[in-house]
Amino acid sequence: MLEGKKIILGICGSIAAYKAATLVRLLVKAGANVQVLMTPDATNFITPLTLSTLSKRPVLVEYFTPETGEWNNHVELGLWADLMIIAPASANTLAKIATGLSDNLLTAVYLSAKCPVYFAPAMDLDMWKHEATQHNIGLLQSFGNILISPGKGELASGLHGEGRLAEPEVIVAFLETDIKSKLPLYGQNILVTAGPTYEAIDPVRFIGNHSSGKMGFAIADQFASLGANVTLIAGPTTEKSKYHDINRIDIISAADMLDACLRFFPDSKACVMCAAVADYTPVTVSVQKIKKQDKELHIDLKKTVDILKTMGQQKANGQVLVGFALETNDEEKNAIEKLQKKNLDLIVLNSLNDKGAGFKSDTNKITIIDSQLQKSIFKLKHKEQVAVDICNKVTELINAKN
Ligand code: CTP
């Protein structure tokens, strides 16, 4: 969730400022770009050098850098950020920002920020409990700022109670969950299939196809970025997911894929069947390697189960089912036939006649047809962008059906 996010971390004067080093490290590890701002007081507790080394960016404290005279533009910084975290947030800084005071760079950036602001207070028990502090926290929350509550425990003063800065791991987990909870598909289970299937002939040979899995993996990543719980059933492929929380199930054959789909489909809000499933499989699989002979070799094939059609028969109200059709001729007619025969909500058509579309390439050109036979025609795009178009359509349909 934090990958590529531009984060301003504001650090106030508090003994808990030492924990900011771990917080920066965890945010950077999660893929975020972290710009550290410190109040002048915070520099008494932890050095800017430690934080600039960990964040790989100069730490900003003053409105200008005295050595170079460079102006640290608070408005630009406020607009640059995707989110701002003030941690530790001292009682003093909370009071200032709650009342709109801006006597240092951190408080000025707060007032200029258009992004979500999180604050994690750290102070002594009595300061935390004081009506003034609680009033200021209430004010900040009424502005839409998000409190990351302090923990309980031993405080620097020797007192025991509430006021300890939430642990850096807790802050990062809080941010990730909060960001995810605001995404359009948060909490929805989505099933995606990708790649080819391999149908064994003997222990060393199989019938396969040229599917790379790129399109299905891009769709799974896009659903994950929209907050969905994604299960990705993948045939043999070298592709990797961007999101570590995608539940990947590796399968080999069409029969394996059928089993996995039937296991996950009932609990899924939507299924996008992007895999290139073999239509035929050998009637028997030789236990030993088939030896070369002088005469021709014939392999008897039997039909595999049409997985999509099976799911179409089982589809419940509120579920969205999406198929793919890769065609070489009579493209629209064939796609519509599949849409209707398999009881789909959408079919994604790509034609092998379009340059840059289909297997192995990084691009695709699609037409999406819905059950009302409404067509959306898209330009040739990178598969990641194609995935955005497909997932947007699916999200619209999930919302319309539920
Ligand atoms: N599909 C499936 N199970 C199969 C074969 C296909 O679930 N045994 C799915 C594919 O994943 C795709 C859709 O059905 O989403 C259409 O696949 P395609 O191969 O284009 O269509 P078929 O129905 O197999 O028809 P044909 O091969 O004759 O075009």
Side-chain angles (χ1 to χ4, degrees), residues 164-226:
R164 277 170 70 95
L165 176 69
E167 293 304 322
E169 291 78 7
V170 173
I171 295 178
V172 172
F174 184 99
L175 294 174
E176 288 191 323
T177 309
D178 193 68
I179 294 168
K180 207 169 171 183
S181 71
K182 290 172 181 148
L183 293 172
L185 290 178
Y186 177 65
Q188 307 276 19
N189 297 337
I190 307 282
L191 181 60
V192 180
T193 68
T197 62
Y198 286 178
E199 308 304 316
I201 297 170
D202 67 14
V204 291
R205 303 182 182 94
F206 58 84
I207 300 171
N209 60 64
H210 291 299
S211 171
S212 61
K214 282 183 182 168
M215 192 66 251
F217 273 67
I219 292 170
D221 281 337
Q222 179 57 20
F223 276 129
S225 79
L226 294 174

Short mmCIF file of all heavy atoms in Angstrom, two decimals, residues 164-226:
data_model
loop_
_atom_site.label_atom_id
_atom_site.label_comp_id
_atom_site.label_asym_id
_atom_site.label_seq_id
_atom_site.Cartn_x
_atom_site.Cartn_y
_atom_site.Cartn_z
N ARG A 164 2.67 6.86 25.37
CA ARG A 164 3.84 6.36 24.61
C ARG A 164 3.54 6.42 23.12
O ARG A 164 2.45 5.99 22.69
CB ARG A 164 4.08 4.88 24.94
CG ARG A 164 4.87 4.62 26.18
CD ARG A 164 4.80 3.13 26.46
NE ARG A 164 5.56 2.39 25.44
CZ ARG A 164 6.81 2.01 25.61
NH1 ARG A 164 7.44 2.28 26.74
NH2 ARG A 164 7.45 1.36 24.68
N LEU A 165 4.50 6.87 22.34
CA LEU A 165 4.33 6.87 20.89
C LEU A 165 4.03 5.44 20.42
O LEU A 165 4.70 4.49 20.85
CB LEU A 165 5.62 7.37 20.20
CG LEU A 165 5.61 7.33 18.68
CD1 LEU A 165 4.65 8.36 18.11
CD2 LEU A 165 7.02 7.58 18.12
N ALA A 166 3.04 5.30 19.59
CA ALA A 166 2.76 3.97 19.01
C ALA A 166 4.05 3.45 18.38
O ALA A 166 4.82 4.23 17.80
CB ALA A 166 1.67 4.09 17.95
N GLU A 167 4.28 2.14 18.49
CA GLU A 167 5.52 1.57 17.94
C GLU A 167 5.56 1.77 16.42
O GLU A 167 4.51 1.74 15.77
CB GLU A 167 5.61 0.07 18.25
CG GLU A 167 5.76 -0.25 19.73
CD GLU A 167 6.96 0.43 20.36
OE1 GLU A 167 8.02 0.53 19.72
OE2 GLU A 167 6.83 0.90 21.52
N PRO A 168 6.74 1.98 15.85
CA PRO A 168 6.84 2.21 14.40
C PRO A 168 6.11 1.14 13.57
O PRO A 168 5.44 1.46 12.59
CB PRO A 168 8.35 2.18 14.14
CG PRO A 168 8.94 2.63 15.43
CD PRO A 168 8.04 2.10 16.52
N GLU A 169 6.21 -0.11 13.99
CA GLU A 169 5.54 -1.20 13.25
C GLU A 169 4.02 -0.99 13.28
O GLU A 169 3.31 -1.27 12.31
CB GLU A 169 5.86 -2.58 13.86
CG GLU A 169 7.28 -3.05 13.70
CD GLU A 169 8.26 -2.40 14.66
OE1 GLU A 169 7.81 -1.65 15.58
OE2 GLU A 169 9.49 -2.62 14.50
N VAL A 170 3.53 -0.53 14.44
CA VAL A 170 2.08 -0.30 14.60
C VAL A 170 1.66 0.87 13.70
O VAL A 170 0.61 0.82 13.04
CB VAL A 170 1.75 -0.01 16.09
CG1 VAL A 170 0.30 0.41 16.26
CG2 VAL A 170 2.07 -1.23 16.95
N ILE A 171 2.51 1.91 13.65
CA ILE A 171 2.17 3.07 12.80
C ILE A 171 2.10 2.65 11.33
O ILE A 171 1.14 2.99 10.63
CB ILE A 171 3.22 4.21 13.00
CG1 ILE A 171 3.14 4.73 14.43
CG2 ILE A 171 3.00 5.34 11.99
CD1 ILE A 171 4.14 5.82 14.78
N VAL A 172 3.08 1.87 10.89
CA VAL A 172 3.09 1.45 9.47
C VAL A 172 1.88 0.56 9.17
O VAL A 172 1.20 0.75 8.15
CB VAL A 172 4.42 0.74 9.12
CG1 VAL A 172 4.36 0.13 7.73
CG2 VAL A 172 5.58 1.74 9.20
N ALA A 173 1.58 -0.36 10.08
CA ALA A 173 0.42 -1.25 9.85
C ALA A 173 -0.86 -0.43 9.84
O ALA A 173 -1.77 -0.67 9.02
CB ALA A 173 0.36 -2.31 10.95
N PHE A 174 -0.94 0.56 10.72
CA PHE A 174 -2.13 1.44 10.76
C PHE A 174 -2.30 2.15 9.42
O PHE A 174 -3.40 2.19 8.86
CB PHE A 174 -1.97 2.46 11.90
CG PHE A 174 -3.18 3.34 12.09
CD1 PHE A 174 -4.10 3.08 13.09
CD2 PHE A 174 -3.41 4.44 11.26
CE1 PHE A 174 -5.23 3.89 13.25
CE2 PHE A 174 -4.53 5.25 11.41
CZ PHE A 174 -5.44 4.97 12.41
N LEU A 175 -1.20 2.71 8.91
CA LEU A 175 -1.27 3.45 7.63
C LEU A 175 -1.74 2.52 6.51
O LEU A 175 -2.62 2.87 5.73
CB LEU A 175 0.11 4.01 7.25
CG LEU A 175 0.70 5.10 8.15
CD1 LEU A 175 2.12 5.42 7.70
CD2 LEU A 175 -0.16 6.34 8.08
N GLU A 176 -1.12 1.33 6.47
CA GLU A 176 -1.46 0.39 5.39
C GLU A 176 -2.94 0.01 5.44
O GLU A 176 -3.62 0.01 4.42
CB GLU A 176 -0.57 -0.85 5.46
CG GLU A 176 0.84 -0.49 5.02
CD GLU A 176 1.75 -1.67 4.79
OE1 GLU A 176 1.64 -2.64 5.55
OE2 GLU A 176 2.59 -1.57 3.86
N THR A 177 -3.42 -0.30 6.64
CA THR A 177 -4.83 -0.71 6.77
C THR A 177 -5.76 0.45 6.44
O THR A 177 -6.77 0.28 5.76
CB THR A 177 -5.11 -1.21 8.20
OG1 THR A 177 -4.10 -2.16 8.51
CG2 THR A 177 -6.47 -1.82 8.36
N ASP A 178 -5.40 1.64 6.93
CA ASP A 178 -6.27 2.79 6.70
C ASP A 178 -6.35 3.13 5.21
O ASP A 178 -7.43 3.39 4.68
CB ASP A 178 -5.75 4.00 7.49
CG ASP A 178 -6.78 5.11 7.52
OD1 ASP A 178 -7.82 4.90 8.18
OD2 ASP A 178 -6.58 6.14 6.86
N ILE A 179 -5.19 3.09 4.54
CA ILE A 179 -5.18 3.41 3.10
C ILE A 179 -6.02 2.38 2.35
O ILE A 179 -6.86 2.69 1.51
CB ILE A 179 -3.73 3.44 2.55
CG1 ILE A 179 -2.97 4.60 3.19
CG2 ILE A 179 -3.71 3.55 1.04
CD1 ILE A 179 -1.47 4.56 2.95
N LYS A 180 -5.79 1.11 2.71
CA LYS A 180 -6.50 0.02 2.03
C LYS A 180 -8.02 0.12 2.25
O LYS A 180 -8.80 -0.10 1.33
CB LYS A 180 -5.98 -1.32 2.57
CG LYS A 180 -6.10 -2.44 1.59
CD LYS A 180 -5.36 -3.67 2.03
CE LYS A 180 -5.72 -4.81 1.09
NZ LYS A 180 -5.14 -6.08 1.44
N SER A 181 -8.40 0.49 3.48
CA SER A 181 -9.84 0.51 3.81
C SER A 181 -10.60 1.56 3.00
O SER A 181 -11.82 1.52 2.93
CB SER A 181 -10.03 0.74 5.30
OG SER A 181 -9.70 2.08 5.60
N LYS A 182 -9.86 2.50 2.41
CA LYS A 182 -10.55 3.55 1.63
C LYS A 182 -10.58 3.23 0.14
O LYS A 182 -11.08 4.01 -0.65
CB LYS A 182 -9.84 4.88 1.87
CG LYS A 182 -10.09 5.38 3.29
CD LYS A 182 -9.28 6.57 3.64
CE LYS A 182 -9.59 6.95 5.09
NZ LYS A 182 -8.45 7.53 5.76
N LEU A 183 -10.01 2.09 -0.22
CA LEU A 183 -9.95 1.75 -1.65
C LEU A 183 -11.29 1.14 -2.10
O LEU A 183 -12.01 0.53 -1.30
CB LEU A 183 -8.81 0.75 -1.90
CG LEU A 183 -7.41 1.35 -1.67
CD1 LEU A 183 -6.35 0.26 -1.75
CD2 LEU A 183 -7.11 2.44 -2.69
N PRO A 184 -11.61 1.28 -3.40
CA PRO A 184 -12.96 0.90 -3.87
C PRO A 184 -13.30 -0.59 -3.72
O PRO A 184 -14.47 -0.93 -3.61
CB PRO A 184 -12.96 1.30 -5.35
CG PRO A 184 -11.58 1.67 -5.70
CD PRO A 184 -10.83 1.95 -4.45
N LEU A 185 -12.29 -1.47 -3.71
CA LEU A 185 -12.63 -2.89 -3.61
C LEU A 185 -12.17 -3.49 -2.27
O LEU A 185 -11.98 -4.70 -2.16
CB LEU A 185 -12.02 -3.67 -4.78
CG LEU A 185 -12.65 -3.41 -6.15
CD1 LEU A 185 -11.93 -4.19 -7.24
CD2 LEU A 185 -14.14 -3.76 -6.17
N TYR A 186 -12.02 -2.63 -1.28
CA TYR A 186 -11.55 -3.11 0.03
C TYR A 186 -12.45 -4.24 0.55
O TYR A 186 -13.67 -4.12 0.57
CB TYR A 186 -11.52 -1.96 1.04
CG TYR A 186 -11.12 -2.40 2.42
CD1 TYR A 186 -9.84 -2.89 2.65
CD2 TYR A 186 -12.02 -2.36 3.48
CE1 TYR A 186 -9.46 -3.32 3.91
CE2 TYR A 186 -11.65 -2.79 4.75
CZ TYR A 186 -10.37 -3.26 4.96
OH TYR A 186 -9.99 -3.69 6.21
N GLY A 187 -11.82 -5.33 0.94
CA GLY A 187 -12.55 -6.44 1.56
C GLY A 187 -13.23 -7.38 0.57
O GLY A 187 -13.80 -8.39 0.96
N GLN A 188 -13.19 -7.07 -0.73
CA GLN A 188 -13.86 -7.92 -1.71
C GLN A 188 -12.89 -9.02 -2.19
O GLN A 188 -11.73 -8.73 -2.47
CB GLN A 188 -14.26 -7.11 -2.95
CG GLN A 188 -15.07 -5.88 -2.65
CD GLN A 188 -16.55 -6.19 -2.50
OE1 GLN A 188 -16.94 -7.33 -2.29
NE2 GLN A 188 -17.38 -5.19 -2.60
N ASN A 189 -13.39 -10.24 -2.27
CA ASN A 189 -12.56 -11.34 -2.79
C ASN A 189 -12.70 -11.38 -4.31
O ASN A 189 -13.82 -11.42 -4.83
CB ASN A 189 -13.03 -12.69 -2.25
CG ASN A 189 -12.89 -12.76 -0.74
OD1 ASN A 189 -12.11 -12.03 -0.14
ND2 ASN A 189 -13.68 -13.63 -0.12
N ILE A 190 -11.57 -11.37 -4.98
CA ILE A 190 -11.60 -11.42 -6.46
C ILE A 190 -10.71 -12.57 -6.92
O ILE A 190 -9.58 -12.73 -6.42
CB ILE A 190 -11.06 -10.10 -7.07
CG1 ILE A 190 -11.78 -8.87 -6.51
CG2 ILE A 190 -11.11 -10.16 -8.60
CD1 ILE A 190 -13.13 -8.57 -7.07
N LEU A 191 -11.21 -13.32 -7.87
CA LEU A 191 -10.47 -14.45 -8.42
C LEU A 191 -10.00 -14.10 -9.83
O LEU A 191 -10.78 -13.60 -10.64
CB LEU A 191 -11.42 -15.66 -8.46
CG LEU A 191 -10.89 -16.99 -8.98
CD1 LEU A 191 -9.72 -17.48 -8.12
CD2 LEU A 191 -12.00 -18.05 -8.95
N VAL A 192 -8.72 -14.35 -10.09
CA VAL A 192 -8.16 -14.10 -11.44
C VAL A 192 -7.40 -15.35 -11.85
O VAL A 192 -6.72 -15.98 -11.02
CB VAL A 192 -7.19 -12.89 -11.41
CG1 VAL A 192 -6.61 -12.63 -12.80
CG2 VAL A 192 -7.88 -11.62 -10.91
N THR A 193 -7.51 -15.73 -13.12
CA THR A 193 -6.67 -16.83 -13.60
C THR A 193 -5.74 -16.28 -14.67
O THR A 193 -6.07 -15.30 -15.35
CB THR A 193 -7.50 -17.99 -14.19
OG1 THR A 193 -8.12 -17.54 -15.40
CG2 THR A 193 -8.56 -18.48 -13.22
N ALA A 194 -4.58 -16.91 -14.81
CA ALA A 194 -3.58 -16.38 -15.74
C ALA A 194 -2.71 -17.50 -16.30
O ALA A 194 -2.56 -18.55 -15.67
CB ALA A 194 -2.69 -15.37 -15.01
N GLY A 195 -2.14 -17.22 -17.46
CA GLY A 195 -1.15 -18.13 -18.03
C GLY A 195 -1.74 -19.30 -18.78
O GLY A 195 -2.97 -19.44 -18.92
N PRO A 196 -0.87 -20.18 -19.25
CA PRO A 196 -1.33 -21.35 -20.00
C PRO A 196 -1.65 -22.51 -19.06
O PRO A 196 -1.42 -22.42 -17.86
CB PRO A 196 -0.10 -21.70 -20.83
CG PRO A 196 1.05 -21.34 -19.94
CD PRO A 196 0.60 -20.15 -19.12
N THR A 197 -2.18 -23.59 -19.61
CA THR A 197 -2.16 -24.86 -18.87
C THR A 197 -1.31 -25.82 -19.69
O THR A 197 -1.20 -25.66 -20.92
CB THR A 197 -3.58 -25.45 -18.67
OG1 THR A 197 -4.15 -25.73 -19.95
CG2 THR A 197 -4.47 -24.51 -17.89
N TYR A 198 -0.69 -26.76 -19.03
CA TYR A 198 0.11 -27.79 -19.70
C TYR A 198 -0.59 -29.13 -19.50
O TYR A 198 -0.90 -29.51 -18.37
CB TYR A 198 1.51 -27.89 -19.08
CG TYR A 198 2.46 -26.76 -19.42
CD1 TYR A 198 3.75 -26.75 -18.87
CD2 TYR A 198 2.12 -25.73 -20.29
CE1 TYR A 198 4.66 -25.73 -19.17
CE2 TYR A 198 3.01 -24.71 -20.59
CZ TYR A 198 4.27 -24.72 -20.03
OH TYR A 198 5.16 -23.71 -20.32
N GLU A 199 -0.81 -29.83 -20.61
CA GLU A 199 -1.47 -31.14 -20.55
C GLU A 199 -0.42 -32.21 -20.84
O GLU A 199 0.11 -32.27 -21.96
CB GLU A 199 -2.61 -31.19 -21.57
CG GLU A 199 -3.59 -30.01 -21.48
CD GLU A 199 -4.22 -29.84 -20.09
OE1 GLU A 199 -4.63 -30.86 -19.50
OE2 GLU A 199 -4.28 -28.71 -19.61
N ALA A 200 -0.15 -33.02 -19.84
CA ALA A 200 0.95 -33.98 -19.97
C ALA A 200 0.66 -35.06 -21.01
O ALA A 200 -0.46 -35.57 -21.10
CB ALA A 200 1.22 -34.62 -18.62
N ILE A 201 1.70 -35.37 -21.80
CA ILE A 201 1.63 -36.49 -22.75
C ILE A 201 2.36 -37.69 -22.13
O ILE A 201 1.88 -38.81 -22.14
CB ILE A 201 2.30 -36.11 -24.09
CG1 ILE A 201 1.54 -34.94 -24.73
CG2 ILE A 201 2.37 -37.31 -25.03
CD1 ILE A 201 2.25 -34.32 -25.93
N ASP A 202 3.53 -37.39 -21.60
CA ASP A 202 4.33 -38.39 -20.88
C ASP A 202 5.15 -37.60 -19.85
O ASP A 202 4.94 -36.39 -19.70
CB ASP A 202 5.18 -39.22 -21.86
CG ASP A 202 6.27 -38.43 -22.56
OD1 ASP A 202 6.57 -37.31 -22.12
OD2 ASP A 202 6.84 -38.93 -23.55
N PRO A 203 6.08 -38.23 -19.12
CA PRO A 203 6.76 -37.47 -18.05
C PRO A 203 7.58 -36.28 -18.55
O PRO A 203 7.94 -35.41 -17.76
CB PRO A 203 7.68 -38.51 -17.40
CG PRO A 203 7.12 -39.83 -17.78
CD PRO A 203 6.46 -39.65 -19.11
N VAL A 204 7.89 -36.21 -19.85
CA VAL A 204 8.72 -35.09 -20.31
C VAL A 204 8.02 -34.17 -21.33
O VAL A 204 8.55 -33.12 -21.64
CB VAL A 204 10.06 -35.59 -20.93
CG1 VAL A 204 10.96 -36.17 -19.88
CG2 VAL A 204 9.81 -36.59 -22.05
N ARG A 205 6.88 -34.55 -21.80
CA ARG A 205 6.25 -33.75 -22.87
C ARG A 205 4.85 -33.30 -22.46
O ARG A 205 4.17 -33.97 -21.68
CB ARG A 205 6.17 -34.55 -24.16
CG ARG A 205 7.53 -35.05 -24.62
CD ARG A 205 7.38 -35.79 -25.92
NE ARG A 205 8.64 -36.33 -26.38
CZ ARG A 205 9.07 -37.56 -26.14
NH1 ARG A 205 8.32 -38.39 -25.42
NH2 ARG A 205 10.22 -37.98 -26.61
N PHE A 206 4.46 -32.20 -23.06
CA PHE A 206 3.11 -31.72 -22.76
C PHE A 206 2.56 -30.97 -23.97
O PHE A 206 3.30 -30.57 -24.87
CB PHE A 206 3.11 -30.79 -21.54
CG PHE A 206 4.01 -29.58 -21.68
CD1 PHE A 206 3.57 -28.43 -22.34
CD2 PHE A 206 5.29 -29.59 -21.17
CE1 PHE A 206 4.38 -27.32 -22.47
CE2 PHE A 206 6.13 -28.49 -21.30
CZ PHE A 206 5.68 -27.35 -21.95
N ILE A 207 1.23 -30.71 -23.95
CA ILE A 207 0.60 -29.81 -24.92
C ILE A 207 0.36 -28.50 -24.17
O ILE A 207 -0.25 -28.50 -23.09
CB ILE A 207 -0.75 -30.36 -25.40
CG1 ILE A 207 -0.55 -31.73 -26.07
CG2 ILE A 207 -1.43 -29.39 -26.36
CD1 ILE A 207 -1.85 -32.46 -26.38
N GLY A 208 0.90 -27.42 -24.72
CA GLY A 208 0.73 -26.12 -24.07
C GLY A 208 0.37 -25.05 -25.07
O GLY A 208 -0.04 -25.36 -26.19
N ASN A 209 0.48 -23.81 -24.67
CA ASN A 209 0.24 -22.70 -25.62
C ASN A 209 1.15 -21.53 -25.27
O ASN A 209 1.89 -21.58 -24.29
CB ASN A 209 -1.24 -22.32 -25.63
CG ASN A 209 -1.72 -21.86 -24.26
OD1 ASN A 209 -1.25 -20.85 -23.75
ND2 ASN A 209 -2.62 -22.63 -23.66
N HIS A 210 1.07 -20.47 -26.08
CA HIS A 210 2.03 -19.37 -25.95
C HIS A 210 1.67 -18.33 -24.89
O HIS A 210 2.34 -17.31 -24.80
CB HIS A 210 2.16 -18.65 -27.29
CG HIS A 210 2.84 -19.46 -28.34
ND1 HIS A 210 4.13 -19.90 -28.18
CD2 HIS A 210 2.40 -19.92 -29.53
CE1 HIS A 210 4.46 -20.60 -29.26
NE2 HIS A 210 3.43 -20.64 -30.09
N SER A 211 0.64 -18.57 -24.11
CA SER A 211 0.26 -17.54 -23.13
C SER A 211 1.41 -17.28 -22.15
O SER A 211 1.99 -18.21 -21.60
CB SER A 211 -0.98 -18.02 -22.34
OG SER A 211 -1.21 -17.12 -21.29
N SER A 212 1.71 -15.99 -21.93
CA SER A 212 2.80 -15.63 -21.01
C SER A 212 2.29 -15.41 -19.60
O SER A 212 3.07 -15.44 -18.64
CB SER A 212 3.46 -14.34 -21.49
OG SER A 212 2.49 -13.29 -21.48
N GLY A 213 1.01 -15.13 -19.45
CA GLY A 213 0.46 -14.82 -18.13
C GLY A 213 0.49 -13.32 -17.81
O GLY A 213 -0.04 -12.89 -16.79
N LYS A 214 1.12 -12.53 -18.70
CA LYS A 214 1.30 -11.09 -18.40
C LYS A 214 -0.02 -10.38 -18.15
O LYS A 214 -0.13 -9.59 -17.22
CB LYS A 214 1.98 -10.39 -19.59
CG LYS A 214 3.46 -10.63 -19.65
CD LYS A 214 4.10 -9.86 -20.78
CE LYS A 214 5.57 -10.23 -20.75
NZ LYS A 214 6.37 -9.89 -21.78
N MET A 215 -1.02 -10.64 -18.99
CA MET A 215 -2.29 -9.92 -18.86
C MET A 215 -2.97 -10.27 -17.53
O MET A 215 -3.43 -9.38 -16.81
CB MET A 215 -3.18 -10.29 -20.06
CG MET A 215 -4.40 -9.43 -20.25
SD MET A 215 -4.03 -7.72 -20.68
CE MET A 215 -4.47 -6.88 -19.20
N GLY A 216 -3.01 -11.55 -17.21
CA GLY A 216 -3.67 -11.98 -15.97
C GLY A 216 -2.96 -11.44 -14.74
O GLY A 216 -3.60 -11.01 -13.77
N PHE A 217 -1.62 -11.44 -14.77
CA PHE A 217 -0.86 -10.91 -13.62
C PHE A 217 -1.10 -9.41 -13.48
O PHE A 217 -1.23 -8.90 -12.36
CB PHE A 217 0.64 -11.22 -13.76
CG PHE A 217 0.99 -12.57 -13.21
CD1 PHE A 217 0.54 -13.73 -13.82
CD2 PHE A 217 1.75 -12.70 -12.05
CE1 PHE A 217 0.83 -14.99 -13.29
CE2 PHE A 217 2.05 -13.95 -11.51
CZ PHE A 217 1.60 -15.10 -12.14
N ALA A 218 -1.18 -8.70 -14.61
CA ALA A 218 -1.44 -7.25 -14.54
C ALA A 218 -2.84 -7.00 -13.95
O ALA A 218 -3.03 -6.07 -13.16
CB ALA A 218 -1.33 -6.63 -15.93
N ILE A 219 -3.80 -7.84 -14.31
CA ILE A 219 -5.16 -7.68 -13.77
C ILE A 219 -5.17 -7.96 -12.26
O ILE A 219 -5.75 -7.21 -11.48
CB ILE A 219 -6.15 -8.61 -14.51
CG1 ILE A 219 -6.31 -8.14 -15.96
CG2 ILE A 219 -7.50 -8.68 -13.82
CD1 ILE A 219 -7.06 -9.11 -16.86
N ALA A 220 -4.47 -9.02 -11.86
CA ALA A 220 -4.42 -9.35 -10.43
C ALA A 220 -3.77 -8.20 -9.65
O ALA A 220 -4.26 -7.80 -8.58
CB ALA A 220 -3.63 -10.64 -10.22
N ASP A 221 -2.67 -7.64 -10.18
CA ASP A 221 -2.01 -6.52 -9.51
C ASP A 221 -2.95 -5.32 -9.41
O ASP A 221 -3.00 -4.65 -8.37
CB ASP A 221 -0.76 -6.09 -10.29
CG ASP A 221 0.42 -7.01 -10.02
OD1 ASP A 221 0.44 -7.67 -8.97
OD2 ASP A 221 1.32 -7.07 -10.87
N GLN A 222 -3.67 -5.06 -10.49
CA GLN A 222 -4.56 -3.89 -10.49
C GLN A 222 -5.68 -4.07 -9.45
O GLN A 222 -6.00 -3.14 -8.71
CB GLN A 222 -5.12 -3.67 -11.91
CG GLN A 222 -6.07 -2.51 -12.04
CD GLN A 222 -5.47 -1.16 -11.61
OE1 GLN A 222 -4.26 -1.00 -11.54
NE2 GLN A 222 -6.34 -0.22 -11.29
N PHE A 223 -6.25 -5.27 -9.37
CA PHE A 223 -7.28 -5.51 -8.35
C PHE A 223 -6.69 -5.34 -6.94
O PHE A 223 -7.34 -4.78 -6.07
CB PHE A 223 -7.86 -6.92 -8.49
CG PHE A 223 -8.97 -7.03 -9.50
CD1 PHE A 223 -8.93 -8.00 -10.49
CD2 PHE A 223 -10.06 -6.17 -9.47
CE1 PHE A 223 -9.95 -8.11 -11.43
CE2 PHE A 223 -11.09 -6.28 -10.40
CZ PHE A 223 -11.03 -7.25 -11.38
N ALA A 224 -5.46 -5.82 -6.75
CA ALA A 224 -4.83 -5.67 -5.42
C ALA A 224 -4.64 -4.19 -5.10
O ALA A 224 -4.85 -3.77 -3.96
CB ALA A 224 -3.50 -6.41 -5.39
N SER A 225 -4.28 -3.40 -6.12
CA SER A 225 -4.08 -1.97 -5.86
C SER A 225 -5.40 -1.27 -5.55
O SER A 225 -5.41 -0.19 -4.98
CB SER A 225 -3.39 -1.29 -7.05
OG SER A 225 -4.33 -1.04 -8.07
N LEU A 226 -6.52 -1.90 -5.90
CA LEU A 226 -7.83 -1.32 -5.57
C LEU A 226 -8.33 -1.85 -4.22
O LEU A 226 -9.47 -1.61 -3.83
CB LEU A 226 -8.85 -1.67 -6.67
CG LEU A 226 -8.58 -1.05 -8.05
CD1 LEU A 226 -9.57 -1.57 -9.09
CD2 LEU A 226 -8.65 0.47 -7.99
#
